[in-house]
Amino acid sequence: MYEVAIIGSGPAGLAAAMYCIRKGMDVQLITGHLGGKSSLTVRFPEMNEHRVFKAREQVQIFRARIEYLTHTWREDRASSITEHPEGFQIELTKGGAIAAERLIIATGVQPTPLGVPGESDFQGRALGSSAISYTHALRDRTAVIIGDSDRAIEAALEAAIQASHVHLVLEVKSRYSHHHLDIARGNEGITVHTGCEVVRFEGDEFARSVTIRSSGYKPDADASPDAEAPQEQTQHEQTIEAEAFFVERDPRPRSAIVGDLVELNPDGAIRINQRNETSNPRIFAAGDVTNVGVEQILVALGEGARAALSAYRHMTMQV
């Protein structure tokens, strides 16, 4: 039985593994891909990043240190976790199982794509899902931020600090703070489009435009001004050209595997305290799957390290 098992190997999982190894813990990291989504990058036309600090380079340092320690990790995924008095039984998708006294959950989030033509084709080529991770690349560029919540509005406000102009596209049935929307509308660098449906992305090597469709109503011209006459629904398509596009829908935390073992918030994120402890004293969590929700690599690295230190503290305090 391992002293600790880590599920997920993005920045938080890698940092947790490194600190467990440093503390001499018998650890097993279960990973689908070392580095997780941090290995996915977005490129933009004529982008020069030679003077830009790249947080993902720090992830590569952790990955390189762990990669050769093959006894500390296995390329597999956890399909289910069962708790018993001594610890946890982790069933693996490739068959077999491992046992661990403690868990660190660093499974991240699942993006919520639009599912429209061109989206998958241009992913990583001027089309991404986290504008705040690329604000340094938006200077003198036009950006399009698409979403259905405050997440998109906040991303647009931050992007507007660097970008020459931002188009904020809010989808039909979006849920957001009207106060936040009023701030965006009052920003000269942002054009707000509400009640929209994204039709498609188009481009060449990079995404170059997005077509959106908005709905409206026009009154019956023959109706009496005082009558509540039926209105005719109209649809208008608009193509917006830009150098950067971001789909800022709220992601889904990958927390289902421990949903019955720890407390989740209403959005499905794992609740943690300042020590990355969950409601279960033997389960710790770090990174985007938690209610911290910052979605920044350097934050995830720190959270992973702290989760490992808390797991080590839990081990040393056992009688």
Side-chain angles (χ1 to χ4, degrees):
M1 178 180 289
Y2 294 100
E3 291 174 332
V4 62
I6 302 170
I7 315 297
S9 65
L14 288 176
M18 274 299 302
Y19 273 77
C20 286
I21 292 169
R22 286 183 61 180
K23 289 295 186 180
M25 299 180 77
D26 187 14
V27 61
Q28 189 68 186
L29 173 67
I30 301 172
T31 170
H33 172 69
L34 284 175
K37 71 175 185 180
S38 66
S39 59
L40 304 177
T41 61
V42 181
R43 297 180 296 115
F44 302 97
E46 301 174 3
M47 181 176 178
N48 187 348
E49 283 194 296
H50 72 282
R51 292 185 178 180
V52 175
F53 174 74
K54 301 177 184 178
R56 69 183 64 90
E57 292 179 350
Q58 309 306 305
V59 178
Q60 295 308 316
I61 294 173
F62 282 85
R63 175 179 175 175
R65 297 286 178 85
I66 290 174
E67 199 164 20
Y68 80 94
L69 299 174
T70 55
H71 65 285
T72 65
W73 62 277
R74 64 182 66 201
E75 190 173 342
D76 209 331
R77 295 185 185 277
S79 58
S80 66
I81 299 175
T82 305
E83 187 173 15
H84 53 79
E86 291 75 31
F88 303 91
Q89 179 84 357
I90 306 166
E91 301 294 332
L92 304 175
T93 57
K94 292 183 179 180
I98 66 168
E101 296 174 9
R102 297 160 197 85
L103 299 177
I104 297 177
I105 307 299
T107 44
V109 292
Q110 176 67 42
T112 309
L114 296 164
V116 301
E119 183 180 21
S120 59
D121 297 332
F122 293 111
Q123 196 64 233
R125 297 185 290 140
L127 175 59
S129 60
S130 179
I132 63 173
S133 299
Y134 292 95
T135 51
H136 62 271
L138 299 182
R139 182 165 296 177
D140 300 324
R141 298 179 187 270
T142 299
V144 177
I145 311 292
I146 302 164
D148 57 3
S149 69
D150 283 325
R151 174 190 174 97
I153 299 175
E154 292 169 7
L157 289 168
E158 184 165 341
I161 296 172
Q162 298 276 5
S164 59
H165 196 78
V166 174
H167 289 270
L168 171 60
V169 178
L170 291 173
E171 300 176 78
V172 178
K173 298 181 180 180
S174 293
R175 299 176 62 185
Y176 49 80
S177 163
H178 287 281
H179 175 66
H180 288 173
L181 184 60
D182 288 341
I183 295 174
R185 281 180 165 150
N187 189 315
E188 294 181 355
I190 300 176
T191 298
V192 179
H193 310 263
T194 58
C196 298
E197 174 189 357
V198 177
V199 179
R200 60 184 172 274
F201 292 94
E202 294 180 296
D204 41 47
E205 180 184 356
F206 297 94
R208 301 287 185 177
S209 68
V210 62
T211 298
I212 61 175
R213 180 184 298 130
S214 57
S215 298
Y217 294 90
K218 71 176 182 180
D220 186 343
D222 298 328
S224 166
D226 298 326
E228 294 186 3
Q231 295 178 318
E232 179 184 348
Q233 186 172 7
T234 62
Q235 290 188 331
H236 171 68
E237 284 195 1
Q238 176 183 359
T239 297
I240 304 171
E241 295 183 351
E243 291 82 40
F245 304 83
F246 298 95
V247 178
E248 292 281 359
R249 284 178 155 186
D250 287 326
R252 299 184 298 274
R254 293 190 175 103
S255 58
I257 196 165
V258 290
D260 296 331
L261 302 176
V262 300
E263 181 184 351
L264 308 179
N265 72 8
D267 295 324
I270 299 174
R271 290 189 186 276
I272 59 170
N273 63 15
Q274 71 274 15
R275 289 181 172 175
N276 292 81
E277 298 165 332
T278 71
S279 58
N280 188 315
R282 296 188 296 185
I283 299 180
F284 308 84
D288 297 347
V289 73
T290 74
N291 58 310
V292 171
V294 178
E295 292 186 68
Q296 292 292 289
I297 288 174
L298 293 180
V299 174
L301 288 171
E303 291 286 307
R306 189 161 58 187
L309 294 175
S310 291
Y312 179 72
R313 178 177 179 274
H314 180 270
M315 183 184 73
T316 59
M317 296 295 289
Q318 298 304 297
V319 177

